[in-house]
Amino acid sequence: MYIYECLSWGCKSPGDCCLEGAAPPANSYQPLPAKRVTLGRSVICEAELSFVLEPSDVIAVQEQPLMLHCQVSGLPPVTIQWRHSGLLLIQDQRHTTFSNGSLLIAHFLKTRSDGSSDEGDYECVAQNSFGLVVSRRARIQAATMANFHVQPESVHAEESGVARFQCQIHGLPEPVISWEKDGRPVDTGDERYTLLPTGVLQITGVRLEDSGRFCCVAHNSAAVKHSAEAVLTVSGSQSSVYKEPMILVGPENLTLTVHQTAILECVATGYPRPIVSWSRLDGRPIGVEGIQVLGTGNLMISDVGVQHSGVYVCAANKPGTRVRRTAQGRLVVQAPAEFVQAPQSIARPVGTTAIFTCQAQGEPEPQLTWLKNGQVLEPGGHVKLKNNNSTLTIYGISQDDEAIYQCIAENSAGSTQASARLTVLWADGLPGVPTRVHAEALSPTTIQVSWKEPDQNTQDIIGYVLHIRRTSDPVEEEYEEAVNKVTLQHIIRDLEPSTSYTFYVKAYTSHGASKPSDGATETTHGEVPAPPVLHTKVLNSSVIQASWEPSSKMGQHQGYRLYYKGAQTALFVGPIVLARNTSQYNITQLDPSLVYEVKLLAYNQHGDGNATERFVSLREPGDFACLSSVLDASCDCGRDEQPKTSTTGIITGIHIGITCIIFCVLFLVFSYRGRSVPTPSTVTASHRRHCVADLPAVVPRLMMCKTVQDTPPVAHSVVQESSSSSQGGSALSGATRREMEVNGSIVGKKVADSNELERLFTQHHLQDASIVS
């Protein structure tokens, strides 16, 4: 068993790696030195750089030395440098970098005589033979103390009432506030005195001995400052007089960082003394852990978390009643960025895809930035950032992409970083690049791509992979199709018409892939329009209205071509060219004794689409009764018979219609077999000759036996139609599909080709003529 190919550490040789398994193929990986530490049976790779200790934010004291710490692990030799505000620090008398990585600033100054400053962002930069990493950004600020911007003011309070003093001052670090009375520290042991970290002094149940001069004292590492004095004057009590509850001071809006302490102030007065309570505006419970009430109504939340964010309501209630006053303030708790998923080191063969994922959380939401060997990574070309920069994808990797990649997560509360290494595997003896890649469009949906073998190392090729994408799409949306090694061409199907595609090819062996070939670009052919949906309507005995709806299944149309002819006529009238926005056309001056074939197709710059055809009859019902009279004397061909309006007439008409249908079927069967149909003795020879002579005119309608009603002719003609589609280029030579319709409704029966019908019925005509003779 050998130790090899620990992808999570990026190891590239048996000596580098962490997992046990079969020995790798000889010379399959480039040797890379690495340091190994054996713990029992485990092997740990330490080739990569990683930070053991990173610099942290510091508030430095002016004129004092400052030490920033940085500790790195990785394969020696490791060099460490520091950046200040993005620029490398030069080693001089003021800045010294120790061998352990720490940086010493001898005399920290906020502002130097040359205008420079030691304040700013500091980063530790570590590098070895595998790459470069940058630490989190540490913010260094000088300790300062400004002047008081809110001074305490003198107060007059009644005995047993409430007195409040306040002072405010800015400083780094945040100044600690204390109070003095008559030059001495206030006795914090007296529970009537409440000192809030915000610089507020509250005195409840005021007494005469509380009178005096009060002063606010602020101190931090930069300085100690005293505010102006304020006088407290106490007068006699009037507590027996009823006073409505009133909130003197309510909670302020606060923005804090996690683990800080929040103080929400609420000072209420009234007689009797009101009861102060707290709640959240959203109805959620405040909880008890870390919650404390200071004085008579101030809310303190220690070690705040994001869950404490919200609007807090202070209520002052008159005891025993529902009389209350409220005030509210918003608490916003920010959380520094921290990783939910850090990027992991990976090893990938040349030409494949590498993906790094980085997810961070914080409040507000962190922004993600990627570095490559310490430099900001700009997406473009084969490098893509997606999902708000949480996914880094590198397509078709090469040796130039081997580096340490870092994800920097940062928000207003802080920043953090995580690094991962991409190791590019390159096996010896990989094939060369396929050459002479050529693409040729075969149809609107297919393109054939061909290529030539690489110039070297072709003996171990096991196949090719063709990479395909629409030219307008990003690289990450390409897809692949495998091709056998003996085939140097491939047809890509199911493409989109009139669309440009880009292709490139890689040759594969068992050890990996070649570099990608040069790309080839080709555009698929355009597509003709789909057949329109055609409807016909007889307006009168000489006019047919054709209406249609365009189809969206295939290419866009530029217009329409309309043809029509008599069913027994060889040539079509047309084309009648119609604009693309036209949806109907009236065909006029027609012969009412004929059956017409109407044909419509859509066309565009790529040619004519398939045509839709319909057969429309302008004949009256009596013209079709002769066919039935040949078979049954009960079918009366007379047109001048008076109408029968009785129930008996209607029933008789139905029976006659059914009889006609039955004889029509028998007629077709016997005609097909070449048999003669016995002629009833009641039918005259001249009558038979007349009816048979009309057969060719009704050939397209013979599959439909029209029932002859015992009623007079109506004003509108009976319409019999069939429809079909044929290729536009051969639209005038024949139909490929026909559907029968009666009065516009589809019957759904397939009709034989018109040539076949003519052949069958010509044969019957000859047989019938022999009978007459």
Side-chain angles (χ1 to χ4, degrees), residues 1-9 11 13-14 16-24 36 41-45:
M1 302 294 287
Y2 292 84
I3 311 298
Y4 83 108
E5 200 174 359
C6 176
L7 297 185
S8 63
W9 288 93
C11 302
S13 74
D16 297 345
C17 302
C18 318
L19 301 180
E20 293 187 351
R36 295 194 303 163
R41 298 181 62 186
S42 302
V43 179
I44 301 176
C45 287

Side-chain angles (χ1 to χ4, degrees), residues 722-740:
S722 66
S723 67
S724 68
S725 295
S726 64
Q727 181 63 34
S730 60
L732 305 180
S733 63
T736 59
R737 188 197 66 208
R738 302 183 184 272
E739 301 171 84
M740 297 302 298

Side-chain angles (χ1 to χ4, degrees), residues 486-552:
V486 299
T487 303
L488 298 179
Q489 65 181 21
H490 186 67
I491 295 178
I492 302 95
R493 306 181 187 278
D494 299 326
L495 303 177
E496 297 180 6
S498 303
T499 303
S500 176
Y501 289 86
T502 299
F503 312 91
Y504 66 90
V505 185
K506 292 181 185 177
Y508 274 78
T509 68
S510 57
H511 300 312
S514 70
K515 293 182 179 179
S517 69
D518 292 336
T521 300
E522 178 68 344
T523 301
T524 52
H525 294 165
E527 193 169 30
V528 298
V533 180
L534 176 62
H535 308 281
T536 56
K537 180 181 179 182
V538 175
L539 298 183
N540 55 50
S541 60
S542 63
V543 178
I544 297 174
Q545 182 184 78
S547 61
W548 56 89
E549 302 168 7
S551 174
S552 60

Side-chain angles (χ1 to χ4, degrees), residues 435-477:
T435 61
R436 298 176 65 182
V437 179
H438 175 70
E440 180 182 0
L442 302 181
S443 75
T445 59
T446 58
I447 292 177
Q448 178 176 278
V449 181
S450 60
W451 59 92
K452 297 297 182 182
E453 279 189 338
D455 295 331
Q456 66 273 355
N457 299 333
T458 60
Q459 65 278 4
D460 295 329
I461 292 178
I462 60 176
Y464 297 89
V465 172
L466 180 60
H467 295 252
I468 309 156
R469 70 177 175 90
R470 284 185 297 191
T471 306
S472 59
D473 286 347
V475 177
E476 60 266 24
E477 293 189 16

Side-chain angles (χ1 to χ4, degrees), residues 685-733:
S686 61
H687 196 176
R688 288 199 303 270
R689 290 192 186 96
H690 173 74
C691 292
V692 173
D694 287 341
L695 283 175
V698 294
V699 165
R701 297 172 285 168
L702 282 178
M703 288 301 291
M704 182 104 190
C705 285
K706 181 64 182 174
T707 301
V708 180
Q709 300 289 344
D710 198 5
T711 57
V714 293
H716 293 285
S717 300
V718 176
V719 180
Q720 294 182 321
E721 303 175 357
S722 66
S723 67
S724 68
S725 295
S726 64
Q727 181 63 34
S730 60
L732 305 180
S733 63

Side-chain angles (χ1 to χ4, degrees), residues 524-599:
T524 52
H525 294 165
E527 193 169 30
V528 298
V533 180
L534 176 62
H535 308 281
T536 56
K537 180 181 179 182
V538 175
L539 298 183
N540 55 50
S541 60
S542 63
V543 178
I544 297 174
Q545 182 184 78
S547 61
W548 56 89
E549 302 168 7
S551 174
S552 60
K553 292 182 180 179
M554 292 195 290
Q556 293 295 320
H557 64 281
Q558 291 181 345
Y560 299 95
R561 292 190 174 100
L562 179 68
Y563 304 85
Y564 69 93
K565 71 180 183 68
Q568 300 307 307
T569 306
L571 299 178
F572 279 90
V573 176
I576 301 171
V577 181
L578 303 169
R580 62 175 299 174
N581 58 351
T582 306
S583 61
Q584 68 178 32
Y585 182 81
N586 291 342
I587 306 172
T588 60
Q589 298 180 353
L590 301 177
D591 186 344
S593 65
L594 297 181
V595 174
Y596 282 89
E597 181 180 355
V598 180
K599 183 179 296 187

